[in-house]
């Protein structure tokens, strides 16, 4: 299903890329394999076409995903040489202006959004929003096919696209996985995507700090509403006490939602003196994206989040739980 905000097509994306010379591609904050894979493959398409491409992310690439970037940690706007005239700013996998983080002011400059999130406040002149795509890299694969119908994808490109697919479908387990996802994955393996290594890096390997914060979360999780809601709150001081960084908390929400009977999992993680980041997951039929959008966030129906003021965090969590149909 193409979102009603969409006003361009795969060939429209291809035309826009062909017309541009110097392109900035924004990834979202706390970058994941999908936004990284999408941006880097678009960049390599553009480079192949003799253009200049600058993938940009407001946050560092997490250690666990450095296998995708050959160890490169930073993709900042300062990488764009000052004498280069950017003629296209675009974004991949970015749903909201806030997800541009410190580059939020660039949101008005974005002329092309390629994404699979339906609820969004980042808009552009050209939008391709396909909520049926399991991952943004599934869309980028179609762009590649359009631009180079005869060419074999390189192993590197196939691996980057595969990483996005695998990550956003939880290893092809989530509801967003479609027959087409599997077809694309099969093609990417034919092109040499290193699927076993990618899945090992994405799902089987964790930093000791990540394991520590997950253990801490399991110890401190509260089961509310007859065990249907799992909720855990992490404070700034827990970082030094337990020993973890932001990037180590990526899987905490998945750890707490695995408890039997849990339908809604909520993580409230203090980001700084002022704000908490709330992440939510649902195993039942609710639309967390629209609930979180009411609080200024967004995401997918089953996985969404928002940032709230420190003083509002408890009320916001209660609001989300009630909106999901539970008494708290
Ligand atoms: Mn995605």
């Amino acid at each position: 299903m193409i979102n009603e905000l969409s006003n361009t097509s795969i060939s429209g994306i291809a035309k826009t890329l062909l017309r541009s010379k110097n392109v900035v591609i924004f990834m979202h904050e706390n970058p994941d394999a999908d936004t990284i894979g999408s941006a880097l493959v678009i960049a390599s398409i553009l480079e192949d076409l003799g253009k200049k491409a600058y993938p940009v992310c407001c946050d560092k690439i997490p250690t666990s995903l450095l296998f995708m970037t050959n160890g490169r940690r930073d993709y900042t706007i300062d990488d764009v040489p000052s004498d280069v005239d950017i003629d296209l700013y675009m974004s991949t996998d970015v749903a909201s202006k806030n997800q541009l983080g410190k580059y939020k002011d660039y949101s008005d400059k974005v002329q092309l959004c390629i994404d699979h999130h339906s609820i969004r406040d980042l808009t552009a002149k050209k939008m391709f929003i396909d909520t049926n795509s399991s991952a943004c890299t599934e869309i980028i694969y179609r762009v590649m096919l359009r631009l180079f119908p005869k060419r074999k994808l390189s192993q590197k490109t196939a691996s980057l696209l595969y990483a996005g697919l695998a990550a956003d479908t939880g290893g092809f387990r989530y509801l967003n996985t479609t027959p087409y996802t599997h077809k694309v994955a099969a093609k990417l393996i034919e092109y040499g995507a290193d699927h076993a290594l990618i899945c090992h890096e994405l799902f089987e390997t964790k930093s000791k700090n990540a394991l520590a914060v997950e253990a801490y979360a399991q110890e401190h999780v509260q089961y509310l509403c007859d065990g249907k809601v799992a909720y855990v709150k992490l404070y700034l001081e827990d970082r030094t006490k337990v020993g973890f960084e932001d990037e180590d908390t990526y899987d905490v929400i998945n750890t707490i939602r695995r408890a039997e009977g849990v339908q809604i999992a909520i993580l409230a993680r203090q980001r700084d003196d002022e704000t908490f980041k709330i992440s939510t997951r649902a195993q039942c039929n609710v639309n967390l994206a629209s609930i979180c959008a009411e609080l200024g966030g967004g995401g997918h129906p089953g996985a969404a989040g928002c940032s709230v003021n420190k003083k509002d965090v408890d009320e916001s969590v209660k609001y989300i739980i009630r909106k999901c149909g539970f008494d708290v």
Side-chain angles (χ1 to χ4, degrees), residues 28 32 34-35 93 115-117 134-136 168 300:
H28 62 68
D32 60 11
D34 193 29
T35 199
D93 202 37
D115 194 12
H116 64 137
H117 298 88
S134 65
C136 196
D168 269 31
H300 300 284

Side-chain angles (χ1 to χ4, degrees), residues 122-288:
L122 178 68
T123 54
K125 206 166 130 205
K126 293 215 163 65
M127 312 269 290
F128 187 87
I129 315 300
D130 182 5
T131 56
N132 267 2
S133 288
S134 65
C136 196
T137 59
E138 200 174 296
I139 305 171
I140 308 299
Y141 172 79
R142 291 163 62 197
V143 176
M144 288 229 60
L145 275 192
R146 174 60 59 124
L147 280 166
F148 312 113
K150 299 240 163 66
R151 192 194 291 183
K152 279 190 177 166
L153 268 58
S154 72
Q155 183 177 11
K156 177 75 195 156
T157 298
S159 289
L160 285 170
L161 295 175
Y162 190 94
L165 283 189
D168 269 31
T169 58
F172 306 96
R173 290 174 304 167
Y174 300 159
L175 211 54
N176 59 350
T177 312
T178 64
Y180 185 68
T181 313
H182 281 289
K183 280 180 192 154
V184 174
K187 275 282 171 205
L188 295 174
I189 293 174
E190 277 178 31
Y191 289 128
D194 209 340
H195 59 99
L197 178 86
I198 291 164
C199 288
H200 180 79
E201 292 286 354
L202 290 177
F203 307 115
E204 308 291 334
T205 314
K206 262 182 200 177
S207 69
K208 296 194 175 68
N209 289 352
L211 291 170
V213 64
E214 286 168 23
Y216 182 83
Q218 290 193 46
E219 227 174 279
H220 291 81
V221 64
Q222 300 175 54
Y223 295 113
L224 312 170
C225 311
D226 293 327
K228 294 190 178 80
V229 176
Y231 171 45
V232 73
K233 200 170 173 184
L234 297 175
Y235 295 91
L236 272 189
E237 53 264 33
D238 295 331
R239 293 171 190 235
T240 34
K241 197 170 79 186
V242 184
F244 64 86
E245 308 273 336
D246 270 345
E247 64 176 60
D248 301 311
T249 61
Y250 183 76
D251 245 0
V252 166
I253 186 88
N254 296 318
T255 307
I256 61 166
R257 80 180 181 142
R258 285 166 68 181
E260 191 176 26
V262 168
Q263 296 186 12
I264 304 288
I266 302 175
L267 163 68
R269 171 171 64 83
Q270 190 175 4
R271 201 143 55 177
D272 49 46
D273 289 337
E274 306 285 301
T275 48
F276 270 81
K277 162 98 190 165
I278 297 179
S279 306
T280 60
R281 297 289 183 274
Q283 307 281 58
C284 53
N285 191 18
V286 293
N287 191 341
L288 290 172

